[in-house]
Amino acid sequence: MTKYKIFAAVNIGSTAISMKIAEISGKKISVIDSVKYDISIGKETYNLGKISYNAVDEICSCLEKFVYIMESYKTDDYVCYATTAVREALNSEYIIEQINIRTGLKVSIISNEEECFLHYKAFALNTDYFDNIIEEGAIITDVLSGSIQISKYEKSELKYSQNLPMGSLRVTELLSGFKNNTSTFTDILEEYIKTEIENYKRSFFKNTNYKYFIAFGSQINNLKKLIGVDDDKITKEQFDEIYKILSERSFDSISDEFNITYNDVELMISSVFIYRMFMKNDDFILAPNISLEDGMCVEYIEKSKLAHTNHIFTNDTISSASYYAGKYDVSIPHYEKLIEFLSVIFNSISKKFGLSKRDFILLKTAAIFSDTGLYININDYNRYSYDIVKANSILGLSQKEHEIVSFVVLFQDGVFDFEEYNYLPKNRRLLISKLSAVLSLAKSLDFEYNQKIDKIKSRLKDGDLNITAYTDKDIVLIKRQFDISAKFFEEVFGIKTYLNKAVK
């Protein structure tokens, strides 16, 4: 008899609260119920900076009904995520606590990058063409309520991923003063989107050599409704017809004829204007029906070790970091050697000191950014590197993980003199210290940036960490720097570290 689990994915979005109840067996996801409650909490966040008491009460009332539905299906597990509207609200912590008290639900706030990452995972698992199109070259434009994520894949690798803070609801609310005149509002909205995205494309979007264009977003289903399309493909002629309907007709007439809410019509218009800015003169675009709830189901499958996608998405996190770091003229040979050393050292101590595979992803990401500050100023470059990490979104990292990476970069010299660090939870401070000490030790082995050491071996025995460096070159300066880093390492891990030279 096949074992299965009933899983609930709850999404507190900017324009609606939605839930999917799914029966999960291996990698098979069978949706058995789907519910949605329209509530535009994003408007309050973008206009007022916080969510009102009445809106919070409405959110909790909705979630109480969702909990009742979950119980009726005897769900085995659930995940509840909140996105931009809650994340950017000044009273987000109060909202999360009130939801927990009233409904019992534990809510996690996720970043734009995490949301898009889940979309990509659902795309990979739920379609049979994902692996082919990312091999041949594809641009994915994910229009969220608060931002847009633009990602390019080529030869199955993520080449870059950039987030722009101008999602469909955000730009609509930003220009809300022009709404009284529908035709003027539409023209201004299109002109604003065109100007903002052209500025972005001049700086970042210079290589337009891709075969496929993929459109994600909450309004995809409504866009298909305008032209009567059910599958993933929208032809160029069909998309032009969508654009014509939305740009030439009144919001009310579109809402009445196609049974789409007025608010959704507004979001459809801004979404279409955004997609047009990245489309080439293609015969068609791909617009799969992918939701955040779908991504949450895939994430649950992976965490439960029931199945996984063919594409290794953790590599995309590293690729995303490399894309940003590459802007700061980092030394690629040094970075590659640093990753090699990190891997050896990490593997020799991870089990004893409770470090996970995910921690190694964070360490690699920190290593990529560790020297970016040199591009700005050689003095206190780690502080500039810290600022660079903070300023750049990294696909696939949670807000907490992003924070960990930034602090690891900041403390790579072993000096913990940043006030914000003292307010972090104890377990997070300990992890940051461990990763910083490993990064410092590995960097010391290529202190001169000339890859003198060909390879290393690392062995933890009798409370000592012995590292053997294979080289026929003089490493006196490396040894000096290693001894400095070893003191930091000993302070954190409580073990002495020695560097031995062996001729290759």
Side-chain angles (χ1 to χ4, degrees), residues 127 129 215 220-221 223-225 227-235 238 284-289:
T127 63
Y129 56 82
I220 290 296
N221 285 340
L223 294 177
K224 291 179 181 179
K225 189 184 291 188
I227 52 173
V229 170
D230 292 324
D231 61 21
D232 292 355
K233 187 180 292 187
I234 299 176
T235 66
Q238 288 171 330
F284 65 90
I285 68 172
L286 294 170
N289 299 325

Side-chain angles (χ1 to χ4, degrees), residues 87-106:
R87 184 180 62 249
E88 295 188 5
L90 297 174
N91 56 339
S92 60
E93 292 182 358
Y94 306 148
I95 296 168
I96 298 302
E97 183 179 33
Q98 289 173 44
I99 290 173
N100 182 245
I101 291 172
R102 282 189 54 174
T103 70
L105 292 176
K106 293 182 178 180

Side-chain angles (χ1 to χ4, degrees), residues 175-228:
L175 303 176
S176 59
F178 298 97
K179 285 183 181 179
N180 291 334
N181 187 324
T182 302
S183 59
T184 300
F185 173 67
T186 303
D187 292 340
I188 291 175
L189 181 64
E190 183 172 20
E191 186 63 28
Y192 175 80
I193 289 172
K194 182 178 180 180
T195 300
E196 291 296 310
I197 292 181
E198 284 292 355
N199 289 335
Y200 156 75
K201 290 171 73 173
R202 277 193 290 270
S203 300
F204 301 103
F205 197 76
K206 297 180 180 179
N207 185 354
T208 57
N209 183 28
Y210 55 93
K211 185 173 181 179
Y212 296 100
F213 178 83
I214 298 95
F216 287 163
S218 61
Q219 297 303 318
I220 290 296
N221 285 340
N222 283 332
L223 294 177
K224 291 179 181 179
K225 189 184 291 188
L226 297 184
I227 52 173

Side-chain angles (χ1 to χ4, degrees), residues 23-30 125 301 307:
E23 181 182 284
I24 294 177
S25 177
K27 68 186 296 183
K28 185 179 180 182
I29 302 170
S30 301
L125 194 68
I301 285 175

Side-chain angles (χ1 to χ4, degrees), residues 21-63:
I21 306 286
E23 181 182 284
I24 294 177
S25 177
K27 68 186 296 183
K28 185 179 180 182
I29 302 170
S30 301
V31 177
I32 56 181
D33 201 355
S34 181
V35 290
K36 179 183 176 182
Y37 179 81
D38 291 324
I39 173 172
S40 192
I41 55 179
K43 287 187 177 183
E44 291 196 355
T45 299
Y46 301 141
N47 289 321
L48 306 175
K50 61 182 180 179
I51 300 172
S52 67
Y53 169 81
N54 289 337
V56 175
D57 183 61
E58 192 175 356
I59 292 169
C60 290
S61 296
C62 170
L63 291 174

